[in-house]
Amino acid sequence: MSTCLGCQKIEALAAGAPASLIAELPSAWLLLGDHQAMPGYAVLWSKLHVKELHHLEPAAYDAFMRDLRRASAAVEVASGCWKLNSVSLGNGVQHVHVHLFPRSSMDPERLRHPWVHEADFSQPGTPQQRSAMIERIRHALE
């Protein structure tokens, strides 16, 4: 088993888990985020283990960007967000992935970075809420 958290997630997906899977896209896996402090929060994981976006070969980069565009549009539609923050840092997990944070117009902190809500990141949402959001995002991907 790989020591890379991103690769471990991909290995788990290949084995038929986890329940947070939204969709397999050509170059990436779209997963509902562990927390739902911002309903619809999702993470797009590259199928290829690279540390930086620019380490992808040009065709793989283009494919990932197409998947990111598609995933972002689906999360925006499914969540009804005011703004979608797309963030790729990779300091903690050095495997290309992009966090998709739907932001609400009702959030008084909406003009700040998503981590202003980090204290709420332990809120996974109920199984019913998670399933419903996964289905809404899947529908928006169609």
Side-chain angles (χ1 to χ4, degrees):
M1 175 176 267
S2 173
T3 58
C4 168
L5 179 61
C7 291
Q8 289 173 8
K9 285 183 177 286
I10 290 169
E11 289 167 5
L13 289 165
S20 59
L21 175 64
I22 297 168
E24 178 180 6
L25 301 173
S27 73
W29 297 90
L30 181 59
L31 302 177
L32 193 67
D34 292 340
H35 72 77
Q36 289 297 292
M38 292 165 238
Y41 165 66
V43 183
L44 186 70
W45 289 90
S46 171
K47 288 181 179 178
L48 299 175
H49 176 80
V50 293
K51 187 164 80 170
E52 306 290 350
L53 281 168
H54 62 273
H55 292 172
L56 289 166
E57 293 296 324
Y61 176 88
D62 291 346
F64 187 78
M65 289 296 114
R66 282 190 300 274
D67 287 346
L68 177 57
R69 182 180 185 281
R70 189 171 168 214
S72 297
V75 169
E76 179 183 49
V77 167
S79 69
C81 64
W82 162 79
K83 173 78 174 95
L84 184 68
N85 294 156
S86 303
V87 181
S88 179
L89 299 171
N91 297 338
V93 179
Q94 296 180 1
H95 182 118
V96 167
H97 62 288
V98 178
H99 299 265
L100 302 172
F101 290 99
R103 304 301 296 271
S104 169
S105 63
M106 303 304 288
D107 178 0
E109 302 288 350
R110 69 185 172 278
L111 300 179
R112 298 186 62 206
H113 59 81
W115 282 272
V116 71
H117 294 291
E118 191 169 10
D120 299 325
F121 285 5
S122 62
Q123 300 173 10
T126 67
Q128 297 81 8
Q129 290 168 327
R130 293 180 65 79
S131 293
M133 183 57 74
I134 287 171
E135 287 308 312
R136 286 199 303 274
I137 297 171
R138 283 178 181 161
H139 180 72
L141 280 168
E142 294 175 355

